[in-house]
Amino acid sequence: ISPTTIKILHSLQSCSSLKSKILGRLGDLASIDAQYDIAISTACGNALNHIVVRTTHDAKGCLRHLRQHNLGRANFLPLDKLKKGAHDLSVRTPEDAPRLYDQINPLRADIAP
């Protein structure tokens, strides 16, 4: 995790009007078996540092906070904008290799697909 991401998350979670709207850093909201760690880190890259919020409105409030406090930039992932059901599609992988998506275990029921 970059020091900037840590600073931004700390500031957002310290703000009483935003605290309940921040679900956390994407990379901290799920677990994956150690054998897939490098693969998922490579596939996701910096997206693991995106900050997950419930709604677009919440993301806009966070962006206002960042601007007001001159904290820099962050990427937000509002759950209300995610497409539902894409993970349910049947996909044939080469040599029937497991899909990385199927190896991810959400740590919170409210963010599970």
Side-chain angles (χ1 to χ4, degrees):
I1 305 173
S2 74
T4 302
T5 301
I6 292 170
K7 179 176 79 172
I8 288 171
L9 267 172
H10 178 72
S11 179
L12 291 170
Q13 291 170 332
S14 297
C15 179
S16 61
S17 64
L18 296 174
K19 186 186 332 189
S20 66
K21 299 171 186 198
I22 307 299
L23 299 176
R25 179 183 157 271
L26 181 60
D28 295 333
L29 295 175
S31 66
I32 189 164
D33 190 283
Q35 68 178 336
Y36 300 110
D37 187 48
I38 293 173
I40 199 78
S41 297
T42 302
C44 293
N46 194 46
L48 293 173
N49 286 321
H50 289 17
I51 299 169
V52 180
V53 294
R54 294 191 189 284
T55 67
T56 304
H57 180 74
D58 296 342
K60 289 178 182 178
C62 291
L63 289 170
R64 274 192 299 277
H65 178 83
L66 295 184
R67 280 190 218 106
Q68 288 172 350
H69 297 280
N70 199 27
L71 292 170
R73 295 176 172 220
N75 292 304
F76 293 90
L77 186 60
L79 294 180
D80 66 339
K81 291 296 181 182
L82 295 180
K83 291 182 181 177
K84 305 290 187 235
H87 61 281
D88 292 332
L89 299 175
S90 178
V91 176
R92 187 162 173 89
T93 60
E95 300 177 21
D96 292 321
R99 295 187 311 170
L100 284 178
Y101 178 86
D102 297 328
Q103 308 309 311
I104 299 169
N105 304 305
L107 298 175
R108 296 173 51 159
D110 62 337
I111 62 165

